[in-house]
Amino acid sequence: MKIEDAIQQKQFISEFQKAHINVLYTASFLNQKTLKALKPFQISPQQFNILRILRGRYPQPASVKLLTEKMIDKTSNASRLVEKLRTKGLVAREASDDDRRKVDVQITKAGLELLEQASTAIEQMIQKYGTTITPEEAGALNGLLDKLRWK
């Protein structure tokens, strides 16, 4: 569906404005799909992101600061997310041996198991992209999105 039809707007100030709105709209669309895929696992996309970061570092722990730096959604409160995951038994928190003010976070066995199942559900969702765009188009999109981000 064209962005013009999705938001019922016929004209844009420029192609850049149209692209901006299209990226925001599509990000929201994909986020809703991700929420739906993760619902059976009772975790949010942000919690899923933290579990993936921790799995990538496993068996090494990560500080909350590192999690915040690596997260896709930089506005998320990593401390709060970690605490929710801890109450579900998916991560463990301990005071750092190096610095008592720092907290080390590590994914648990239950976290690894849940992440494996949730990752399968997300991968099945992502595979549906192949019905609408080709791998070459996905590569071109990745290149354009990489170019769009500036520092």
Side-chain angles (χ1 to χ4, degrees), residues 27-48 121-122 125:
S28 178
F29 170 84
L30 294 174
N31 191 53
Q32 291 302 314
K33 296 287 186 187
T34 302
L35 280 167
K36 186 176 178 182
L38 292 175
K39 189 172 185 173
F41 307 101
Q42 298 179 332
I43 59 172
S44 68
Q46 294 83 3
Q47 291 170 334
F48 178 73
I122 293 295
M125 178 196 79

Side-chain angles (χ1 to χ4, degrees), residues 76-130:
S76 293
N77 182 336
S79 294
R80 181 182 54 81
L81 294 168
V82 166
E83 182 56 23
K84 285 185 175 187
L85 291 168
R86 188 195 64 74
T87 60
K88 294 177 183 183
L90 303 175
V91 302
R93 290 175 61 138
E94 311 185 344
S96 172
D97 293 335
D98 307 338
D99 182 348
R100 304 275 303 153
R101 294 168 296 175
K102 186 175 131 192
V103 175
D104 285 335
V105 182
Q106 188 169 33
I107 193 167
T108 62
K109 183 174 169 69
L112 287 168
E113 291 170 2
L114 181 125
L115 182 58
E116 184 64 34
Q117 295 170 12
S119 293
T120 298
I122 293 295
E123 197 53 41
Q124 288 172 350
M125 178 196 79
I126 291 171
Q127 290 303 315
K128 292 180 183 173
Y129 300 165

Side-chain angles (χ1 to χ4, degrees), residues 3-4 7 9-15 17-19 21:
I3 190 66
E4 294 91 332
I7 66 170
Q9 181 174 331
K10 300 262 185 265
Q11 292 183 311
F12 296 89
I13 293 170
S14 67
E15 284 297 315
Q17 182 199 43
K18 181 178 174 180
I21 292 169

